[in-house]
Amino acid sequence: MTTNTEVSSLSELVSQQIPVSEKEKLASDVRLGLDLAFARIEDHKRERTVEESKQAILTREIQMLRISTEKRRKRIECLKSVQQSIDTANTISEDINIVSSKDARS
């Protein structure tokens, strides 16, 4: 990994009185170091974008699960109410049958 200090050190070496071939090599090394640094920055940006996208997808999934859970909770409450109504109707029906049986015997 090339740090800013390493890049500046390489730049200082290039600026010194060095034979042309060595200067060109150092300049090439500096360019290569900068290219690598910028490539790492771009990779990091892409990774961050991908992670942000994944986070957004997970957030939407959580929202959908919450909505689904709330709908199911309401459906369960509705079904419980229906069950209570059925139980009440059955109880009333049994009471009517008992009364009807007593009336039929009389």
Side-chain angles (χ1 to χ4, degrees):
M1 176 182 226
T2 305
T3 63
N4 289 341
T5 305
E6 291 171 343
V7 171
S8 65
S9 296
L10 289 174
S11 298
E12 289 173 15
L13 286 173
V14 170
S15 67
Q16 292 177 359
Q17 294 298 328
I18 301 174
V20 175
S21 63
E22 287 185 40
K23 264 189 176 180
E24 288 174 357
K25 183 182 180 316
L26 287 173
S28 175
D29 289 348
V30 168
R31 283 192 291 276
L32 179 61
L34 289 173
D35 287 345
L36 289 173
F38 287 126
R40 282 190 206 109
I41 289 170
E42 288 301 316
D43 287 343
H44 177 69
K45 286 180 183 178
R46 278 192 292 277
E47 288 174 10
R48 187 175 63 215
T49 301
V50 167
E51 290 301 317
E52 288 171 352
S53 176
K54 287 179 182 178
Q55 182 64 37
I57 290 169
L58 289 174
T59 300
R60 284 193 299 272
E61 285 182 28
I62 289 169
Q63 289 172 342
M64 294 303 296
L65 288 171
R66 285 182 179 151
I67 291 169
S68 176
T69 302
E70 182 62 23
K71 286 180 180 179
R72 285 184 179 163
R73 187 185 62 74
K74 288 180 181 178
R75 175 88 171 129
I76 289 169
E77 288 175 4
C78 180
L79 291 172
K80 284 180 180 178
S81 295
V82 169
Q83 183 64 48
Q84 287 175 349
S85 298
I86 290 169
D87 292 344
T88 303
N90 287 337
T91 302
I92 292 171
S93 176
E94 288 172 8
D95 291 346
I96 291 172
N97 286 338
I98 292 172
V99 170
S100 297
S101 296
K102 288 181 182 177
D103 287 344
R105 288 185 200 157
S106 302

